[in-house]
Amino acid sequence: MHTIDPLVSIIICSYNRKNLISKTIDSVLNQKCDFKYEIIIGDDSSIDNVRSILLDYKKRLPKVFTLVFHETNIGLGANWASCVKLAKGKYIAGCDNDDYWHNPNKLRIQVEFLEKNFEIGMVHTDYRTYNTKTGNFSDKIIHNFIYKGPLIQTIFSGKFKCCNSSTMYRKSIIDKHISIDDYISFQFPLQDWNTWISIANYTKFYCLPISTTTICIDNESITRPKDYSVIE
């Protein structure tokens, strides 16, 4: 039994998606673990009444949820960073608001791995895609991917394979090597690639040989192009 409360801070960046956000949140609440976690949701000025859904979760589980409502749209990176500033956990995990964790042991497995492997600063997993038009799932196996050259070169070249919603970071790595206020001041449009690049020189990444996360590929967004082959 872990005594840190909360041990994990789960960050969900919300923008619209009122028809999908509940599946995302429920997949977090369905995690099987023996430690406490918090769920921090930053809503980036949604216009589809998704906030009423978030407020309902907060009402039901006030000690679990922290809600951050931005009155103007500040961008994904800045939204994520504003939530990170509130995180109290030893580890930080995230799930995009149109993705979900299909593996109920995702958090437990990643925490157990990081507790034993101190040289690893970010751990991620295999994943699957779901085409909302065809109803087809496609498994993406990336744990046997070999970096060609230094990790930071692999990321810069666009060849690094990672599903952001499957990641878990050590918060100490974020605190030490990320200028989190810059994400907010300059309204960074993304939160993943720039973070990976920033910490790649200081820690190691590892992909576990399990599938934990489902991402929808029909919902186009700044991080989710219709042509999904760019990250496959």
Side-chain angles (χ1 to χ4, degrees):
M1 173 69 73
H2 297 274
T3 58
I4 300 175
D5 181 11
L7 186 64
V8 181
S9 298
I10 297 132
I11 294 174
I12 299 174
C13 292
S14 167
Y15 179 66
N16 296 332
R17 311 291 194 205
K18 69 176 182 179
N19 296 326
L20 298 171
I21 189 68
S22 290
K23 190 163 190 175
T24 302
I25 296 172
D26 289 344
S27 76
V28 176
L29 294 175
N30 288 334
Q31 289 292 299
K32 298 177 181 178
C33 46
D34 63 353
F35 50 80
K36 293 184 179 180
Y37 57 78
E38 63 177 348
I39 302 174
I40 305 172
I41 304 178
D43 183 72
D44 200 13
S45 191
S46 293
I47 58 174
D48 68 346
N49 201 36
V50 70
R51 291 189 178 185
S52 63
I53 297 174
L54 303 181
L55 288 168
D56 182 61
Y57 279 100
K58 172 70 173 177
K59 182 178 180 180
R60 283 187 279 152
L61 296 167
K63 294 183 179 180
V64 173
F65 286 90
T66 297
L67 304 181
V68 181
F69 289 162
H70 303 290
E71 298 310 317
T72 58
N73 190 275
I74 63 174
L76 178 57
N79 187 13
W80 176 81
S82 67
C83 294
V84 170
K85 287 173 68 73
L86 299 176
K88 299 187 290 290
K90 181 179 180 180
Y91 304 111
I92 293 178
C95 193
D96 294 338
N97 70 331
D98 52 352
D99 300 341
Y100 64 92
W101 295 338
H102 59 255
N103 189 326
N105 298 304
K106 189 259 189 195
L107 290 182
R108 178 185 60 80
I109 293 171
Q110 289 184 315
V111 165
E112 289 178 352
F113 178 83
L114 289 174
E115 291 281 277
K116 296 176 182 177
N117 297 274
F118 300 104
E119 75 281 8
I120 305 297
M122 190 274 275
V123 62
H124 57 116
T125 72
D126 295 335
Y127 63 100
R128 68 184 184 183
T129 61
Y130 173 67
N131 188 308
T132 58
K133 289 185 177 180
T134 66
N136 293 328
F137 291 94
S138 179
D139 291 320
K140 305 300 176 184
I141 308 301
I142 58 176
H143 68 266
N144 57 0
F145 174 71
I146 299 175
Y147 302 138
K148 296 180 179 179
L151 173 58
I152 194 167
Q153 287 186 8
T154 305
I155 298 173
F156 265 119
S157 69
K159 296 179 181 178
F160 177 62
K161 298 183 179 183
C162 180
C163 167
N164 182 59
S165 291
S166 78
T167 59
M168 179 179 287
Y169 300 89
R170 294 186 187 276
K171 188 172 185 292
S172 59
I173 294 292
I174 300 293
D175 291 341
K176 186 174 182 179
H177 299 295
I178 295 293
S179 299
I180 204 72
D181 286 329
D182 286 349
Y183 287 55
I184 300 171
S185 299
F186 300 107
Q187 296 190 359
F188 284 13
L190 298 175
Q191 88 283 31
D192 48 13
W193 287 88
N194 38 303
T195 300
W196 300 337
I197 289 169
S198 296
I199 66 176
N201 275 332
Y202 306 102
T203 191
K204 295 180 180 179
F205 297 177
Y206 189 85
C207 184
L208 291 167
I210 58 170
S211 180
T212 64
T213 303
T214 299
I215 58 180
C216 300
I217 63 173
D218 182 47
N219 302 294
E220 187 175 18
S221 68
I222 189 171
T223 60
R224 198 65 49 79
K226 286 184 178 179
D227 181 8
Y228 211 75
S229 62
V230 295
I231 70 165
E232 296 181 337

